[in-house]
Amino acid sequence: MSKREVLSPLPGTFYRRPAPDAPPFKEDGAEVAVGDVLGLVEVMKNFQEVTAEHAGGAITFLVEDGEAIDAEQVLAEISE
């Protein structure tokens, strides 16, 4: 089974949910379609959506909600 990596477009803080009391955009193991929002990267109070560029059978997140990340860091893997 091959996997596609989801990379951070920029450095900042990665959030898996749209608000602290909201459910995550995607749970680990969920199916992913092209264009699905997977999370947000926050830089100086500006938020950028991270969307899926590939569809897949299951997603595995490699960083925690609220974790500091670098540009091009692998955020998740999507199995095909």
Side-chain angles (χ1 to χ4, degrees):
M1 178 185 318
S2 63
K3 295 181 179 181
R4 301 266 188 159
E5 294 178 335
V6 178
L7 304 179
S8 174
L10 49 131
T13 303
F14 181 67
Y15 294 102
R16 290 183 55 187
R17 41 186 96 237
D21 57 345
F25 292 106
K26 289 288 181 184
E27 296 282 355
D28 276 310
E31 290 187 16
V32 175
V34 174
D36 283 354
V37 177
L38 305 176
L40 301 170
V41 176
E42 183 263 325
V43 180
M44 300 182 71
K45 305 299 180 194
N46 290 310
F47 293 85
Q48 179 170 341
E49 290 183 343
V50 177
T51 57
E53 296 180 3
H54 306 282
I59 187 166
T60 303
F61 286 92
L62 304 177
V63 298
E64 298 294 325
D65 185 55
E67 187 174 328
I69 55 170
D70 294 319
E72 303 295 319
Q73 181 175 341
V74 179
L75 302 174
E77 294 176 334
I78 300 172
S79 64
E80 296 181 313

